[in-house]
Amino acid sequence: CHVKAVGFILPQGAAAKVALLHVACGTCQKGLEQLCSDPDVLNCFSRCGPSVALGTYHHKEEIQLHQAGQIMKMKVKFNRMPLVSAPLLAESGRHFSVEIDGDDHQFEDPTQFAAGLADVKQFAAAATPNLETSQQSAAASQATPSAAAWLGG
């Protein structure tokens, strides 16, 4: 079955987690929603993106997470998905990176990304006051769909 990883981070920083789920699985999505509402699991964490398609795995196959010289093994148990990792280190409350089965992945808090995008738009508008209003509107409408797509995915 195809498996993906979804990142979660504490807004205060220092800790993150990765959840493993089946790709396009309504049952996994509902299970993840329950885990996100549980204060002992993911309730205090913010979802990060982008999600990462990890590939095809077999039942009871191990996925290895490497970070800061530590190795964490997660056994893919289809009947118990979604699975949530033990806490990982976060560089800040905005992002964290982890190596999953040999590939590096960066997860970022989308609210921080959106705030940064808004700052960039505001700076660009202030730095270019001579642009026509229609040019500013066109630039904003071109930037918005890509940000919306990133935030929704």
Side-chain angles (χ1 to χ4, degrees):
C1 287
H2 292 279
V3 174
K4 70 178 180 178
V6 178
F8 291 87
I9 194 165
L10 277 176
Q12 303 88 341
K17 292 184 180 184
V18 172
L20 302 178
L21 358 150
H22 291 109
V23 172
C25 175
T27 303
C28 281
Q29 192 59 43
K30 283 185 179 188
L32 185 61
E33 289 170 12
Q34 287 178 335
L35 294 172
C36 287
S37 66
D38 188 317
D40 294 329
V41 185
L42 291 172
N43 183 260
C44 298
F45 288 75
S46 297
R47 186 173 177 157
C48 295
S51 297
V52 179
L54 299 176
T56 303
Y57 286 85
H58 300 285
H59 182 61
K60 295 190 178 181
E61 188 173 353
E62 283 188 346
I63 292 180
Q64 290 191 0
L65 284 68
H66 295 253
Q67 189 192 56
Q70 301 293 319
I71 298 173
M72 181 185 311
K73 295 180 181 182
M74 294 179 69
K75 192 173 282 194
V76 178
K77 297 177 183 176
F78 292 154
N79 57 330
R80 294 197 178 161
M81 292 182 76
L83 303 171
V84 178
S85 72
L88 301 165
L89 296 175
E91 292 87 11
S92 74
R94 297 176 52 178
H95 62 86
F96 73 99
S97 59
V98 63
E99 182 183 307
I100 304 173
D101 277 349
D103 294 320
D104 289 323
H105 301 288
Q106 177 88 14
F107 295 96
E108 296 183 23
D109 183 344
T111 60
Q112 297 297 325
F113 175 80
L117 182 61
D119 290 345
V120 169
K121 285 182 186 179
Q122 186 177 20
F123 175 77
T128 55
N130 296 331
L131 286 178
E132 298 279 340
T133 304
S134 61
Q135 289 175 330
Q136 290 174 350
S137 297
S141 67
Q142 288 174 355
T144 303
S146 62
W150 189 88
L151 291 172

